Amino acid sequence: MSGTENVRRRRSVIAASVAAGVLLAGGGGVYLATTASGDGIGAGAAAKAADAAGPPTPLRLEGGSGDATGGGDTRGGPGIAPGEPDPGGGPNGTVYTAKGPLPQGPSSAAVHRPEGLVTSAEVTRLAEALGISGSPSLVGEVWTIRPEKDGSGARLDVARKAPGNWTYSWYDGGPAGDACLKGRACPPPGESKPAPGGTPLSEAAAKAAAAPVLKALGQDDAKVTATGVVNGSVRVVNADPVVGGLPTYGWSTGLHIARDGRAVAGSGTLKEPAEGAVYPVIGASKALAALNEDAKGTGPIGVGHCPTAPPAVDGNGRPEDARTGGTPAPGHVEPTPPCQTIVDRAAPDQVPVTAAVFGLAARDVDGERLLVPSWLFTADPADGAPYTVVRTAVAPEYLVPPSKPSPEPTPPPGDGSRAARVVESVRVQGDGRELAVTFWGGVCSTYTVKADEQPDRVTVRIVEKTDPDRVCIMIAKDFTKTVTLKSPLGDRPVVDAASGEAVPRR
């Protein structure tokens, strides 16, 4: 039985009654619900099993008890996708208003968590769909298929531990990194140099080219978009998989499709998360109200107090009564007008919500990346493109309240105490002991690379030093820094300290 058939069979026996979505119009909404069937297992049986197991353990969500997300970053906590607005708005906040009735949704839903280990057969299936020849070898905790000889060709790295984070890159050879003059001729990390000129594939053609890869991943029912273009001619295909019969957010597969229909880069997860504990959930109306509570403004920025007008005086320099123009009576005190700044008077941003979908959103829970039941709201501002805002649907009593941070001393600027940047790629140089590490950083910061050598891996860490007194423009550029190991790298994988993922080799 193929991996895709296994995935489909698992989905066919999942017992659940879930809300698939609602489209809102002025006069009302349509609530679409699906009930999975198969093997005689129903939602009632699942509920009884959950009751027998006792109440689930409250979830400790990192970043807050249920805060809004406007485009999650799949490697870290809740974040904002590039180009999307902050769901919390500016100092005046944001009010999200539904354009029609909102659905109640299911009464309970399960979290999904990564379980198990990725097998060689699963890696081979993905490699074949990507057009990569060769057998995977296990290097430490990473399955890898790498090019031979000059390093040109395809490379696939898959973490052995679920969910099996994978990265795929293709390099055509030629100058790169420090040996490549900066400019249009240099390929970005992990991707081949595109042929000059030409137009990208159409969205439909790029989706068709990505379909075999998505099928190998068991994601042929994913929601697929292909609107992005990079390097002028490479079409970006993103797929949000369906897990447990629910749409997902922040768990996407990404593929870069060249003009010839060949995938030249990609990343995602190989192993579908397994169903975990079942939690009571709230409806969309309560979730939207909580979202608006989260989206309250931060208040006036940069306003310490209201200026006070100097006292009025007459021509002889004596105090003057503002009401009569004469000398004020003994003991008279002028009333003070209420302080109101321009920021105080501004109304919150009003953003319509045109759709609400019950699904699963990626969240960090006690240091583990899980898919948590959530409401996915489509916000459609009048002055911008629609975007997705996410609110956790788990009932508040099953969420651990966010703890107040304990006061910690502020580290001095530039003490090198944090892994500042995510590594894009690494290249082995010289006798195998020198690593050229490529990453993106700010133009006003200085960076160094540190390496932690273990028998089964080498972990690289980018250390950033900044000057808090320096005014700097927010522009990013690519950096390549070298670090020397104590012994040759050999077959050991290079792991990024910031993301915990294997770094593609160049």
Side-chain angles (χ1 to χ4, degrees):
M1 181 179 294
S2 70
T4 302
E5 290 171 342
N6 276 327
V7 170
R8 285 174 174 166
R9 186 175 186 278
R10 286 198 302 271
R11 290 174 181 163
S12 69
V13 300
I14 292 177
S17 178
V18 300
V22 56
L23 299 180
L24 308 179
V30 179
Y31 176 61
L32 307 176
T34 61
T35 303
S37 61
D39 295 1
I41 302 177
K48 290 180 180 178
D51 291 341
T57 303
L59 298 176
R60 187 185 301 275
L61 303 182
E62 297 181 12
S65 60
D67 50 345
T69 306
D73 177 357
T74 60
R75 289 179 296 204
I80 304 167
E84 290 192 351
D86 184 344
N92 304 306
T94 301
V95 174
Y96 295 98
T97 305
K99 294 301 181 183
L102 290 168
Q104 176 58 35
S107 60
S108 62
V111 299
H112 287 69
R113 66 177 66 242
E115 289 186 1
L117 300 174
V118 174
T119 66
S120 175
E122 290 172 321
V123 178
T124 301
R125 186 173 68 248
L126 173 59
E128 290 175 348
L130 289 167
I132 304 175
S133 60
S135 300
S137 58
L138 188 61
V139 181
E141 289 297 313
V142 178
W143 291 105
T144 183
I145 302 178
R146 63 188 60 175
E148 299 177 355
K149 298 180 180 179
D150 62 352
S152 63
R155 179 186 176 104
L156 176 64
D157 292 296
V158 184
R160 181 166 174 256
K161 184 179 179 181
N165 292 317
W166 61 269
T167 59
Y168 161 67
S169 58
W170 180 284
Y171 180 54
D172 286 335
D178 294 336
C180 183
L181 297 177
K182 302 302 180 183
R184 295 173 60 87
C186 290
E191 188 170 295
S192 63
K193 181 174 65 178
T199 58
L201 284 178
S202 67
E203 293 184 27
K207 290 179 181 180
V213 179
L214 297 178
K215 185 174 182 179
L217 293 168
Q219 298 178 7
D220 41 334
D221 54 356
K223 176 185 176 182
V224 181
T225 60
T227 57
V229 174
V230 296
N231 299 332
S233 61
V234 178
R235 179 72 65 177
V236 179
V237 177
N238 289 314
D240 294 314
V242 175
V243 174
L246 290 172
T248 60
Y249 187 86
W251 202 267
S252 63
T253 295
L255 291 168
H256 287 194
I257 308 297
R259 289 187 294 119
D260 58 3
R262 174 172 55 99
V264 294
S267 63
T269 56
L270 182 53
K271 215 166 184 65
E272 180 176 306
E275 182 175 334
V278 177
Y279 287 83
V281 294
I282 60 177
S285 295
K286 288 185 177 180
L288 187 62
L291 175 62
N292 282 325
E293 184 68 22
D294 295 337
K296 284 184 176 180
T298 57
I301 297 177
V303 180
H305 63 279
C306 288
T308 302
V313 295
D314 60 16
N316 298 317
R318 292 175 297 186
E320 183 177 83
D321 192 331
R323 299 169 300 169
T324 63
T327 301
H332 170 72
V333 177
E334 286 292 327
T336 302
C339 175
Q340 187 178 49
T341 67
I342 295 177
V343 176
D344 292 329
R345 292 196 299 266
D349 295 332
Q350 300 284 337
V351 178
V353 169
T354 55
V357 177
F358 188 82
L360 300 170
R363 293 296 305 267
D364 290 325
V365 181
D366 280 332
E368 184 181 11
R369 194 72 161 166
L370 306 182
L371 285 172
V372 178
S374 303
W375 282 102
L376 318 179
F377 296 102
T378 298
D380 192 6
D383 57 351
Y387 59 93
T388 300
V389 188
V390 179
R391 187 52 166 81
T392 300
V394 175
E397 58 268 29
Y398 288 92
L399 297 176
V400 176
S403 58
K404 295 182 179 180
S406 57
E408 297 181 358
T410 302
D415 71 339
S417 62
R418 63 190 181 97
R421 300 287 170 177
V422 174
V423 177
E424 296 287 343
S425 67
V426 65
R427 186 177 70 256
V428 184
Q429 300 181 155
D431 61 356
R433 296 172 58 246
E434 186 176 79
L435 302 182
V437 181
T438 300
F439 58 95
W440 288 91
V443 296
C444 295
S445 298
T446 57
Y447 300 94
T448 55
V449 180
K450 295 184 180 296
D452 178 23
E453 297 186 56
Q454 301 295 332
D456 61 341
R457 69 177 61 192
V458 173
T459 302
V460 293
R461 182 169 176 262
I462 308 300
V463 178
E464 179 179 6
K465 292 185 178 181
T466 59
D467 183 355
D469 296 325
R470 181 180 179 184
V471 178
C472 183
I473 56 175
M474 300 298 289
I475 295 179
K477 61 173 290 188
D478 62 319
F479 290 86
T480 298
K481 299 289 184 179
T482 59
V483 61
T484 302
L485 306 178
K486 297 177 181 177
S487 59
L489 179 64
D491 289 335
R492 291 179 294 174
V494 178
V495 178
D496 177 18
S499 66
E501 298 179 1
V503 179
R505 290 197 193 184
R506 293 288 302 276

